[in-house]
């Protein structure tokens, strides 16, 4: 045996070991795993660097485009990951990280995730998922019932029916919204006479056949960008998404909505879908769903509700009434990886009518044979992991009343934070919380008074400076690493709809305390003083 | 304090504990986790029931559509999951499960997955992923280089460029193929003069502007069903996917392809994309990519290669030449969760031209601001988990030569299995392995001889019976639970293109041994004898 052959053989053995010999408990990876199991928060706190390194610096560690020719030892690679990747990742589960829709996860999720990944089921078909298929169908059934509240007989009939589906589980809200609009489009432009339907013949022939001048999707100006993306993908074009202005509470103006529908009808443009938002991404407000449903019905439009964020509020008996009318929707998007406290990669859409999905049915010989219960015949995605198991477990372990407590407490925390902001003379609450989101900015009392008394041109000058100050504070706070709020730009009624930069806060993490919220404001006051240009300029103007 | 209030308080404490107190090592879940860590294969072997329970029976355990009102103890729920879900799941990592594109996973993947889930990054934007963004860009760079083999300068220029992207990471091959065709469509129907492009104005106006009669996607009859699904979603219609016949080796017939292109050109139908298949799902064959690229160029069509399954073969210097021409593709789909041995939910598409993705760019105020390096501006999905980390780690720990060994050994195992089938007088090899897939059927020697000598009508009678026998054996073998091969229906040249039922075997699991393959055949011979109707009928005919 030559030296080369021996080396090759040794490597084959190494490879075999990688697939068969478990990670030793006292190895680096084994110790890390144990640490994560015993104290995830501690692990993340200790390993994620508090300082904010510039992205261009981090990129230097990820610059090699060659796939390595030499294998790394698992333990060495683990150190590399800890130093270069984990240390520079974002502590999304930190109770101080209140800028996005992130949260700590329930502890039982971690070992269950490992089980899920070890099982490595593929939900596209029963042959690679078996019991996971009825389990996912049950999760969809539960979420469907949460929205539509049909009776037992309904679910007995449809939940496990091969040719039907109460919804589609997917990787997230964008795919869920896209799936809903895909179903809507294919049902609107269905086969008729010689025309074999848009699914077969495409949009060009479909519009010719139905003699529409075009299709439109109507949503408030606070609608999520995934809707424009979906319109693009579906061949409708982003311009087909028409933004309807909102009232001062970021809720769609139904009079304007109805007027636009009528105008489009006069132009022979069919409204494909009216989309209600239940939890706007930027402000957390809920559209008047009941009124919207009535308008959708009048114009024969598919009524979709994007409740990716707010849908979980249905689990709260106390706050459920805020979403009144959602049960009239033809489809509803809910992200389980948002307020349902499961990890990234779990979205879903439910359909009022279990037969809706027939419009997007696909088959193949080697799987998804007709009549099978394979979930893949009614989903946009093909191969998919068993994420539904985590939702299933969370629904059982947390249960509805547990979710109610979590959701109520988040909303009430937002109200508390709003009251803190209002009490502080140098802060301006921009949007009141309805769900657990709010926006605000640092705005010294004197400047606020000045803004209220001057003309619009002078207002603008001040607001431009305030925008700069907001950006300065937000970036500096993030860089300091103690806490994080996000920023966005929204139209503010009190400033004649001016697009204004604001702090955005999402209070979804059950571990965020009142003390943390107080500290966030205190740090922002402090940071404002550090602004050597904007604050003095502002005060000089006031 | 009333009893009710006390109960509520206790529950709030319980909830707080769920987010803060780790799973105790000696709890049920802790013990299970430990068992998985120490011996995953043993755990799965012990907990997945060997018997094949009817789906309708399993559904009874997943019949309740009510979200529970009472919380379950984690340990109780864990027992429930083991009994009802895990026991009835599919042992996809078993070396005896050779029916689909599944495999055992390297052991280091499990603890790393837990780390990934604990970190819970969201790759849509840097603010929730930080170093994960350059890490994912590096993985895309490495995979891009694997395909296109550009020089260092190229990757230095583009890998981390904000307005560019070498590809898109996504949940799987279907989304990858859809993304590729979306990019192709938007680039073909780009803005021109007054026309603002299909992304803005939609397909109806785009086709009018460009005065095409229609668009077409050309792929061999072995193309994956996700292409038809993509054509449906994109508004082109499933009928725009034109299946070109293959030769006897399941490779597209390039003469027919070129002729079809010319015919379409004469009809003023623009070929949007020619799709080469590098690893057909059913037979594992690779199209003549170089020839296809030339045809695509001639007709100004986007050349996409669906290498979801076969793309990993590029890691093998020995077998890479089989994919010659892939470097000419405008886009290539590769699934990391197939032959790259990471768990479900990891697909990607790479683009030859880093500027291609500008055609699908989306922005939003609260994230994905223009000029940012947020990955979300160039992906179909929005929120996405940090799965790229698992690919990153696997590329480093296994390394290119390690992957080469795994891939070579799978292909050679397929050749070994093919030789076993050929040596056995009562089996018929239907498709030769090119990658690690092959198809065959049980067909007694006497029947084979008869088939070769009779007319087509009599052939058909025999083949119908053989189909029934194949189905019988495949189902019975699955039910017995010792091993699993899949079945599909493919056109077989030697039977005048008749769609014939065959066993389909994928030899991707490094732990599948020659002994297992011998046993699979032996069991099938045995099962054939148990067929009380089909085998005697067949023999009577021969």
């Amino acid at each position: 045996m030559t030296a080369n052959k021996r080396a090759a053989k040794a490597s084959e053995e190494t490879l075999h070991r990688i697939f068969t010999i478990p990670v030793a408990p006292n190895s680096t990876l084994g110790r890390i795993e144990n640490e994560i199991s015993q104290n995830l928060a501690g692990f993340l706190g200790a390993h994620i660097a508090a300082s904010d390194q510039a992205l261009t610096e981090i990129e230097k560690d990820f610059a090699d485009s060659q796939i390595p020719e030499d294998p790394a030892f698992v333990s060495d690679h683990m150190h590399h990951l800890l130093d270069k990747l984990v240390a520079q990742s974002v502590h999304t589960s930190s109770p101080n990280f209140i800028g996005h829709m992130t949260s700590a996860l329930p502890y039982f999720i971690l070992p269950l995730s490992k089980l899920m990944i070890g099982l490595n089921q593929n939900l596209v078909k029963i042959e690679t998922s078996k019991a996971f298929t009825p389990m996912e169908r049950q999760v969809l059934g539960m979420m469907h019932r949460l929205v539509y509240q049909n009776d037992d007989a309904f679910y007995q009939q449809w939940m496990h029916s091969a040719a039907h589906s109460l919804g589609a589980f997917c990787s997230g809200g964008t795919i869920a919204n896209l799936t809903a609009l895909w179903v809507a489009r294919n049902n609107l432009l269905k086969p008729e006479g010689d025309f074999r339907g848009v699914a077969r013949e495409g949009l060009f022939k479909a519009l010719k056949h139905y003699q529409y001048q075009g299709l439109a999707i109507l949503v408030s100006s606070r609608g999520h960008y995934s809707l424009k993306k979906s319109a693009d993908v579906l061949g409708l074009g982003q311009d087909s998404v028409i933004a309807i202005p909102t009232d001062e509470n970021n809720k769609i103006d139904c009079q304007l909505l109805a007027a636009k529908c009528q105008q489009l009808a006069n132009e022979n443009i069919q409204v494909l879908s009216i989309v209600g938002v239940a939890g706007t991404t930027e402000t957390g407000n809920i559209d008047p769903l009941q009124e919207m449903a009535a308008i959708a019905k009048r114009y024969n439009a598919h009524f979709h509700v994007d409740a990716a964020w707010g849908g979980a509020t249905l689990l709260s008996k106390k706050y459920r009434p805020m979403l009144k009318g959602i049960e009239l929707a033809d489809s509803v998007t809910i992200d389980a990886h948002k307020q349902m406290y499961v990890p990234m990669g779990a979205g879903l859409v439910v359909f009022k009518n279990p037969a809706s999905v027939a419009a997007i049915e696909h088959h193949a010989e080697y799987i998804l044979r007709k009549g099978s219960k394979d979930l893949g015949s009614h989903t946009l995605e093909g191969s998919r992991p068993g994420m539904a198991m985590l939702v299933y477990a969370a629904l059982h372990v947390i249960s509805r009343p547990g979710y109610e407590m979590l959701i109520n407490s988040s909303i009430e925390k937002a109200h508390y934070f709003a009251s803190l902001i209002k009490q502080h003379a140098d802060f301006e609450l921009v949007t009141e919380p309805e769900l657990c989101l709010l926006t605000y900015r640092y705005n010294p009392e004197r400047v606020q008074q000045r803004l209220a008394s001057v003309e619009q041109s002078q207002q603008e000058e001040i607001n431009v400076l305030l925008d700069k100050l907001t950006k300065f504070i937000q970036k500096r706070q993030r860089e300091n690493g103690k806490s994080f709020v996000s920023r966005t730009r929204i139209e503010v009624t009190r400033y004649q709809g001016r697009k204004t930069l604001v702090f955005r806060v999402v209070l979804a993490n059950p571990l965020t305390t009142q003390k943390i919220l107080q500290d966030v404001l205190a740090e922002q006051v402090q940071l404002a003083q550090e602004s050597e240009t904007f604050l003095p300029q502002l005060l000089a103007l006031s």
Side-chain angles (χ1 to χ4, degrees), chain A:
Chain A
M1 202 183 270
T2 68
N4 263 348
K5 278 218 171 153
R6 264 200 307 278
K9 189 161 170 13
S11 297
E12 263 179 47
E13 277 168 24
T14 314
L15 278 178
H16 194 257
R17 285 171 61 91
I18 283 181
F19 284 88
T20 52
I21 309 291
V23 172
N26 56 353
S27 67
T28 307
L29 191 52
R31 274 184 284 118
I32 288 167
E33 198 188 350
N34 197 38
E35 220 183 303
I36 295 172
S37 297
Q38 289 313 303
N39 184 3
L40 176 66
F43 174 87
L44 297 176
H47 287 279
I48 297 179
S51 71
D52 194 50
Q53 202 181 329
L55 195 62
T56 45
E57 279 306 302
I58 299 174
E59 282 168 358
K60 291 179 187 162
D61 293 323
F62 299 96
D64 194 350
S65 56
Q66 291 274 15
I67 295 173
E69 281 292 319
D70 295 310
F73 284 111
V74 171
S75 56
D76 291 347
H77 188 64
M78 211 45 227
H79 284 294
H80 165 77
L81 287 178
L82 287 181
D83 286 354
K84 303 302 184 189
L85 186 66
V86 176
Q88 301 302 331
S89 65
V90 178
H91 196 341
T92 58
S93 64
S94 161
N96 304 293
F97 189 92
I98 54 175
H100 288 299
M101 293 165 168
T102 59
S103 166
L105 295 173
Y107 262 85
F108 64 87
I109 286 292
L110 275 193
L112 276 185
S113 300
K114 201 165 102 176
L115 177 59
M116 177 195 84
I117 284 167
L119 285 166
N120 206 22
Q121 306 291 289
N122 182 350
L123 272 286
V124 71
K125 53 184 176 279
I126 287 164
E127 281 184 354
T128 51
S129 61
K130 204 66 196 279
F132 271 68
T133 291
M135 180 277 292
E136 185 172 295
R137 281 181 175 268
Q138 184 183 10
V139 169
L140 290 170
M142 286 177 164
M143 297 304 292
H144 188 280
R145 190 162 189 164
L146 179 67
V147 172
Y148 296 108
Q149 301 185 304
N150 293 322
D151 61 11
D152 284 337
F154 177 91
Y155 295 97
Q156 270 161 31
Q157 186 169 4
W158 303 117
M159 203 155 73
H160 294 292
S161 167
H164 300 81
S165 191
L166 296 177
F169 204 93
C170 56
S171 65
T174 296
I175 301 291
N177 282 338
L178 173 56
T179 303
L181 293 173
W182 179 28
V183 165
R185 189 199 68 183
N186 286 13
N187 276 316
L188 175 69
L189 306 174
K190 60 179 180 292
E192 184 188 72
D194 283 347
F195 175 64
R196 281 165 306 134
V198 66
R200 295 287 301 275
E201 297 201 36
L203 210 45
F204 190 68
K205 290 182 183 161
L207 291 186
K208 272 199 196 162
H209 172 82
Y210 280 102
Q211 299 190 311
Y212 294 131
Q213 280 302 307
L215 302 180
I217 296 167
L218 273 52
V219 65
S220 94
S221 51
R222 288 273 170 279
H224 191 256
Y225 72 98
S226 62
L227 297 169
K228 277 201 173 178
K229 204 195 268 190
S230 300
D232 172 0
V233 174
L234 290 168
L236 308 168
Q238 296 170 36
D239 293 353
S240 70
V241 178
I242 299 176
I244 307 294
T246 58
D247 64 17
E248 64 201 31
N249 292 319
N250 303 293
K251 293 165 185 287
I252 196 166
D253 183 322
C254 279
Q255 274 194 301
L256 294 179
L257 173 65
K260 179 56 83 176
C261 285
Q262 190 51 52
Q263 183 201 328
L264 292 168
N266 296 345
E267 295 169 10
N268 189 29
I269 294 172
Q270 169 65 33
V271 179
L272 168 63
S273 178
I274 291 179
V275 180
V277 188
T280 62
T281 312
E282 290 167 296
T283 60
N285 296 105
I286 300 162
D287 278 337
L289 303 178
Q290 211 164 10
E291 239 177 302
M292 293 179 84
I295 298 171
K297 200 172 173 190
R298 206 179 315 147
Y299 291 93
N300 192 29
H302 180 105
F303 182 39
H304 175 65
V305 174
D306 180 0
W309 173 250
T313 313
L314 296 168
L315 292 156
S316 160
K317 285 190 179 165
K318 183 172 177 185
Y319 291 110
R320 181 183 172 105
M322 293 200 299
L323 286 91
K324 200 164 164 49
I326 198 170
E327 71 285 356
L328 303 169
D330 296 300
S331 56
V332 176
T333 288
I334 298 178
D335 264 351
H337 62 218
K338 295 199 169 101
Q339 281 196 98
M340 290 182 71
Y341 300 99
V342 302
M344 260 320 123
L348 57 89
V349 54
V350 288
F351 294 97
K352 187 182 200 173
N353 177 354
S356 294
V357 293
I360 58 163
E361 203 164 286
H362 283 257
H363 292 285
E365 278 293 353
Y366 74 109
I367 50 160
L368 316 180
R369 290 178 277 257
K370 283 187 188 172
S372 84
K373 294 184 175 183
D374 297 328
L375 288 160
S377 48
H378 297 125
T379 57
L380 177 53
E381 291 165 286
S383 297
R384 277 189 308 111
M387 286 295 289
M389 181 180 106
L390 303 183
V391 184
Y392 180 86
L395 285 170
H396 282 84
V397 172
I398 300 177
S399 81
R400 203 226 24 100
Y403 273 116
E404 163 138 30
M405 274 186 241
L406 291 169
I407 282 155
N408 294 358
S409 126
S410 291
I411 293 177
E412 283 143 25
K413 210 177 289 171
H415 285 295
Y416 168 78
F417 195 41
S419 73
L420 274 190
I421 291 165
K422 284 189 211 167
Q423 280 160 29
H424 200 300
D426 293 340
F427 281 99
E428 179 186 7
L429 185 68
V430 179
T431 57
E432 290 274 356
E434 185 172 1
L435 296 176
C436 59
L437 269 72
L438 56 81
T439 64
Y440 68 104
R441 62 178 178 175
Y442 179 80
N443 189 352
E445 190 170 17
R446 233 169 77 196
V447 182
Q448 288 190 49
Q449 286 162 356
R450 180 82 186 152
L451 265 175
S453 64
V454 296
E455 280 171 32
Q456 203 175 330
S457 65
Q458 277 175 285
Q459 254 192 13
E460 180 58 22
E461 195 181 356
I462 295 171
N463 271 324
V464 166
L465 277 171
L466 281 169
D467 283 354
K468 289 179 181 169
L469 183 61
T470 304
K471 188 173 173 182
F472 171 84
I473 296 171
Q474 192 266 348
K475 281 185 79 167
R476 189 62 70 92
Q477 193 165 30
R478 189 191 71 202
E479 285 159 15
N480 283 354
K482 266 190 292 191
S483 63
F484 171 79
V485 305
S486 59
R487 65 173 201 267
T488 191
R489 200 178 275 281
I490 55 171
E491 293 127 12
V492 181
T493 313
R494 83 191 68 145
Y495 302 120
Q496 297 79 43
R498 175 182 186 278
K499 280 213 150 194
T500 305
L501 210 60
V502 293
F503 303 130
R504 167 172 168 271
V505 154
V506 189
L507 292 162
N509 193 328
L511 305 181
T512 303
T513 60
Q514 296 192 345
K515 173 74 170 60
I516 286 174
L517 300 179
Q518 294 156 17
D519 291 348
V520 164
L521 291 189
E523 191 186 16
Q524 290 179 335
V525 171
Q526 179 83 42
L527 291 171
Q529 313 309 317
E530 289 174 20
S531 146
E532 283 168 18
T533 49
F534 313 129
L535 189 59
Q537 284 177 30
L538 270 169
L539 295 174
L541 278 179
S542 308

